[in-house]
Amino acid sequence: MVKKSQEYIVKIDTLNHQAQGIARIDGFVVFIDNVLIDEVVKIKIEEVKKEYAKANLVEILEKSPYRKDPECPYYYFCGGCHLMHANYQHQLSLKKLLVEDAFRRIGKLSPKINDVIGMENPFRYRNKTALPVGGDYKKPQIGFYRKMTHDIVDIDYCLIQHEFCDDVIKGMKELIKRHKIEIYDEKKHQGVLRHIVVRNSFAFDEMMLILVCTKVPENLESVKKDILDKFPKVKSLYLNLNPKKTNVILGEEDILIWGSSTIKDKIGNLTFEISPKSFFQVNSVQTEVLYRQVIKYLMNIGAEVVFDIYSGIGTISMFVAPFCKKVYTIEIVEDAVEDAKKSSKNNGISNIEFICGCAEIEIPKLLKSEIIPQAVILDPPRSGCEKQLLESLIEYKIKNIIYVSCNPSTLARDSNILCSNGYEILEVQPVDMFPQTFHVECVALFKMEEK
């Protein structure tokens, strides 16, 4: 019987979908952070559940040849990264293993899975971050949460964020002290400043700064002046009001308090308008790699009419538009659709029809009106596709589906539904959009089997 606080020596068998090591003690599963496959380690049991236990790493007795010292001093405390203790090439191998495991365990499938396409420089790649704020105005804390907690790890910089973000972290701590800004306490549900959201453009010298507050700060005008003096790269400054007792970062109301309503960024040769709530891939460099894979699949199909579902601000649509006669996009967020329309016009693209609505409702409407695509591109949130949407694609026997996914687990689940209803999965191409973390993006190609 595994006991809490007891120490054991174990060998790591494999990693789970969150890059935690899996070991067994008399057949009982134990999860351990910051270990690698085949390492022999001493652990201390932290928590015992009915079917598994969690343990802390005490000592590495036999080290993996792929282990390295993390570049970040906050790594073992912060919950933002998970694989920085492995060299980068091994990270890519592990991510392929995680994708294979998801398809085998959840999807009950064994498709062709290519090697993960990595980055030349796997640091400083993120163009967006949400920084929780804690402490008080005398000693403010800005950083990230410890894993599985809401305890803030106070940081001065982050190696996977744009360098502009470091300036904001240091500068906002000074401004909070100077203006005695009241910081939100989520336990008491009191205070004003909750989060600082930073969106950086890699292609242009622009930054959007969003102060997430429970109410309008009393000294907002003086705070605004100091922000603009301190951060000359800010092109767009927003106040987002979130008065609710919730874990959701952004509230419903965005107030533009200075500058442009959007910032611009580029993927390839295309320029996009980005507003506060618009979805835009966080890794601009790898996004182009990802979308080139989508184009490759489309060109092999020879599709003339394409549906882009969960289209966001239209990044995929605009990439594929030159290779099709007509693209129909479906997106539920109205601001994102408006940004997409602006970007399409600015990029001189005229063969896209933008539809604002719920994909599960709009797609059946298009199909019933006999607008039948040769290919559908799916790019859903982490939760995957709604079953109703998949059922519509199955019902109308859409010949080709290109599925872009940031979550191998839900991709595998949805693949099982499609492959149980007449589709064959031809290939899965993982792309490392999130180096140093366990997250991995995939593009999967499905074809309706001919009977």
Side-chain angles (χ1 to χ4, degrees):
M1 178 66 182
V2 174
K3 295 181 180 179
K4 185 177 179 180
S5 301
Q6 184 73 37
E7 291 188 349
Y8 298 89
I9 294 175
V10 298
K11 184 175 182 179
I12 306 304
D13 297 329
T14 188
L15 302 185
N16 68 6
H17 67 287
Q18 294 185 328
Q20 294 175 306
I22 298 177
R24 286 173 173 80
I25 301 171
D26 296 329
F28 193 73
V29 173
V30 182
F31 298 122
I32 310 108
D33 288 326
N34 305 317
V35 294
L36 296 174
I37 296 170
D38 290 335
E39 287 189 326
V40 177
V41 297
K42 181 186 286 186
I43 61 172
K44 185 175 182 179
I45 302 298
E46 176 190 10
E47 185 180 5
V48 180
K49 298 285 189 179
K50 185 177 179 180
E51 296 180 349
Y52 65 90
K54 295 180 181 179
N56 292 322
L57 177 63
V58 176
E59 183 181 357
I60 302 169
L61 303 176
E62 294 182 22
K63 186 183 296 187
S64 167
Y66 306 110
R67 178 176 283 276
K68 69 174 179 63
D69 292 330
E71 290 83 351
C72 177
Y74 309 109
Y75 175 67
Y76 288 115
F77 311 103
C78 170
C81 294
H82 324 94
L83 284 171
M84 204 180 279
H85 59 286
N87 71 52
Y88 186 56
Q89 287 305 310
H90 190 56
Q91 288 186 34
L92 300 180
S93 299
L94 291 173
K95 293 190 180 192
K96 181 178 180 181
L97 185 70
L98 299 182
V99 175
E100 290 172 337
D101 177 68
F103 272 94
R104 182 175 59 254
R105 183 172 46 85
I106 300 170
K108 313 301 180 188
L109 298 165
S110 299
K112 176 188 175 186
I113 298 175
N114 297 328
D115 290 340
V116 182
I117 301 174
M119 293 192 74
E120 184 177 344
N121 175 20
F123 293 98
R124 295 294 188 182
Y125 60 85
R126 286 188 64 96
N127 56 42
K128 177 187 176 183
T129 186
L131 299 159
V133 184
D136 56 38
Y137 71 82
K138 295 178 183 177
K139 194 175 181 180
Q141 298 174 336
I142 299 176
F144 298 103
Y145 293 127
R146 292 180 190 272
K147 190 174 182 180
M148 304 302 289
T149 77
H150 271 211
D151 299 331
I152 295 174
V153 177
D154 189 37
I155 65 173
D156 290 324
Y157 62 91
C158 175
L159 292 177
I160 65 171
Q161 306 291 342
H162 193 296
E163 287 86 347
F164 288 174
C165 185
D166 299 347
D167 298 336
V168 170
I169 291 170
K170 296 171 187 174
M172 283 304 300
K173 287 179 183 178
E174 295 175 14
L175 295 187
I176 289 169
K177 292 176 185 177
R178 181 185 307 165
H179 293 278
K180 298 182 179 180
I181 298 173
E182 189 180 356
I183 293 172
Y184 179 70
D185 184 327
E186 66 175 23
K187 292 179 180 177
K188 296 179 181 177
H189 190 45
Q190 295 176 351
V192 179
L193 181 61
R194 303 174 69 131
H195 279 81
I196 300 165
V197 178
V198 187
R199 302 193 81 149
N200 290 295
S201 171
F202 275 65
F204 303 95
D205 204 23
E206 300 180 358
M207 177 168 65
M208 177 183 288
L209 196 60
I210 307 169
L211 306 179
V212 184
C213 298
T214 57
K215 61 182 180 180
V216 177
E218 293 179 1
N219 52 351
L220 180 60
E221 282 302 311
S222 57
V223 171
K224 179 182 78 174
K225 182 180 182 300
D226 276 4
I227 286 175
L228 297 177
D229 288 342
K230 201 166 196 65
F231 311 121
K233 296 180 189 298
V234 170
K235 183 189 177 186
S236 179
L237 181 59
Y238 275 92
L239 177 69
N240 174 270
L241 294 181
N242 186 358
K244 296 180 181 179
K245 190 171 185 178
T246 175
N247 289 333
V248 176
I249 294 172
L250 293 177
E252 295 176 3
E253 186 177 1
D254 294 309
I255 303 171
L256 179 66
I257 54 178
W258 186 85
S260 171
S261 60
T262 62
I263 60 170
K264 300 189 301 293
D265 206 347
K266 293 184 85 170
I267 302 174
N269 295 320
L270 298 174
T271 302
F272 296 94
E273 299 274 348
I274 306 166
S275 57
K277 291 191 176 75
S278 292
F279 173 78
F280 190 74
Q281 293 279 8
V282 299
N283 187 331
S284 304
V285 173
Q286 287 295 86
T287 297
E288 183 174 359
V289 174
L290 185 77
Y291 292 174
R292 294 289 173 200
Q293 188 65 35
V294 174
I295 291 172
K296 175 186 170 184
Y297 288 158
L298 271 182
M299 291 186 71
N300 289 340
I301 293 165
E304 293 189 348
V305 177
V306 174
F307 289 177
D308 178 13
I309 305 176
Y310 308 106
S311 57
I313 61 171
T315 49
I316 295 181
S317 302
M318 282 176 246
F319 249 80
V320 305
F323 304 92
C324 313
K325 282 189 176 179
K326 185 77 171 181
V327 181
Y328 294 84
T329 75
I330 297 93
E331 168 59 45
I332 197 169
V333 179
E334 189 174 346
D335 287 349
V337 175
E338 292 306 310
D339 289 345
K341 289 177 180 178
K342 290 178 191 173
S343 297
S344 179
K345 184 178 180 181
N346 292 341
N347 287 296
I349 299 171
S350 58
N351 62 331
I352 303 177
E353 182 172 327
F354 297 96
I355 301 170
C356 184
C358 177
E360 294 73 48
I361 296 172
E362 299 300 330
I363 292 301
K365 284 184 186 177
L366 288 170
L367 296 175
K368 287 174 183 176
S369 64
E370 298 186 357
I371 300 174
I372 308 297
Q374 286 78 51
V376 165
I377 301 168
L378 303 173
D379 188 8
R382 286 189 61 79
S383 56
C385 291
E386 292 291 333
K387 192 175 180 182
Q388 181 185 344
L389 171 59
L390 295 177
E391 288 172 347
S392 293
L393 302 181
I394 293 164
E395 179 186 351
Y396 282 85
K397 295 181 171 57
I398 302 303
K399 290 184 178 180
N400 302 284
I401 297 174
I402 300 171
Y403 194 137
V404 181
S405 171
C406 61
N407 186 345
S409 297
T410 52
L411 171 60
R413 180 201 68 199
D414 293 348
S415 297
N416 179 275
I417 294 172
L418 292 171
C419 291
S420 298
N421 288 277
Y423 283 91
E424 177 188 3
I425 183 166
L426 301 183
E427 182 178 287
V428 180
Q429 178 60 66
V431 178
D432 192 18
M433 299 281 284
F434 317 99
Q436 318 306 330
T437 79
F438 60 72
H439 300 291
V440 59
E441 198 98 3
C442 292
V443 188
L445 177 60
F446 297 84
K447 185 178 181 64
M448 175 67 77
E449 295 175 326
E450 294 182 9
K451 295 182 180 178

